[in-house]
Amino acid sequence: MIKNIIFDVGKVLIDWEPYSTMRELGFSEAAIDAIRKNLFESNAWSEEDRGLMTPVEMEDYLVSFIPEYEREVRLFYKHATDSIMPRSYVIPWIKALKQAGFNTYVLSNFGGEAMKRGVQMGGINFLDQLDGYLFSYEIHKVKPEPEIYTALFERYNLTPSECIFIDDLPINIEGGKAAGMDGIVFETFEQVCNDLRALGVEFTLQ
């Protein structure tokens, strides 16, 4: 019997458009491409999510690889969370699930400073609606590593077989399944709602 719905954050509960932010800041496409390759397509980004590097350390690290774009790197980090926006369906969705008797949690790869800034700026505005949450920076583990799923289960005394995990990345869903819980790959809100109901999670959106 499903009792708990566990959400990823990025591209499930929030939108985040770093490349749009860079373009709004006037970055050249060459600078955007360099940051993309050396940050988002490298292992560096996950180190911040692990809580092992501060944003300042990440800036310095990235600048060491692309010193010709030092100005852009440091400007990007100053504005990196500007484009975090909550999706309009999030709070009504959480409330509907809770009214239907389900517990709701978040399990997300997120750096500590980015998360705090997202909260302060109002982009992450749903944490007080949840029964609990675990961010990767807290335990220095990231999805799909098995320890992060186990840590959530242990923190809130959850039985994996009673949980459904919603994430936009199939690899993270597979990690959850290996840890013992079912999962749904998020593509659209409507699709996930239909998939939840197909698994017996009935709820009514207001």
Side-chain angles (χ1 to χ4, degrees):
M1 180 179 179
I2 299 302
K3 297 181 180 179
N4 312 298
I5 311 301
I6 303 170
F7 302 97
D8 178 31
V9 171
K11 297 185 179 180
V12 175
L13 303 183
I14 65 169
D15 288 311
W16 182 54
E17 301 294 341
Y19 303 120
S20 296
T21 297
M22 292 182 211
R23 291 187 178 95
E24 290 172 4
L25 292 169
F27 291 11
S28 68
E29 290 302 314
I32 293 171
D33 191 55
I35 294 173
R36 175 179 59 79
K37 289 178 179 177
N38 288 277
L39 182 60
F40 300 121
E41 294 181 2
S42 74
N43 292 326
W45 193 247
S46 67
E47 293 307 293
E48 187 174 349
D49 283 346
R50 287 182 192 277
L52 298 178
M53 296 180 73
T54 67
V56 173
E57 289 171 332
M58 281 295 303
E59 285 181 33
D60 293 340
Y61 179 78
L62 188 54
V63 166
S64 72
F65 285 95
I66 47 174
E68 67 272 30
Y69 296 116
E70 178 175 2
R71 182 189 71 85
E72 287 87 349
V73 169
R74 299 199 186 283
L75 189 59
F76 170 66
Y77 264 91
K78 185 177 180 180
H79 294 277
T81 58
D82 286 3
S83 65
I84 291 178
M85 293 292 293
R87 294 185 169 180
S88 60
Y89 57 71
V90 170
I91 291 179
W93 193 17
I94 293 171
K95 287 183 175 179
L97 287 166
K98 292 180 69 64
Q99 288 171 0
F102 299 97
N103 302 312
T104 57
Y105 302 90
V106 149
L107 180 65
S108 179
N109 289 351
F110 231 99
E113 288 303 313
M115 190 276 289
K116 292 172 187 175
R117 287 168 62 186
V119 170
Q120 290 168 355
M121 295 176 67
I124 299 174
N125 66 346
F126 44 79
L127 296 182
D128 62 348
Q129 302 290 325
L130 301 166
D131 293 286
Y133 47 85
L134 175 63
F135 291 97
S136 56
Y137 76 89
E138 300 178 66
I139 61 168
H140 311 310
K141 296 292 182 182
V142 296
K143 297 175 296 185
E145 295 168 350
E147 294 89 349
I148 193 169
Y149 303 98
T150 301
L152 180 73
F153 300 150
E154 292 179 349
R155 176 178 286 189
Y156 296 107
N157 195 30
L158 304 180
T159 300
S161 61
E162 297 176 345
C163 301
I164 294 179
F165 181 43
I166 301 167
D167 195 294
D168 65 303
L169 296 178
I171 191 172
N172 293 340
I173 294 296
E174 291 306 313
K177 288 182 177 179
M181 64 177 166
D182 205 348
I184 298 170
V185 177
F186 185 100
E187 296 175 3
T188 69
F189 176 56
E190 292 76 13
Q191 162 258 323
V192 167
C193 288
N194 289 336
D195 288 350
L196 282 171
R197 292 182 174 113
L199 291 171
V201 178
E202 294 293 341
F203 57 97
T204 301
L205 291 164
Q206 301 298 320

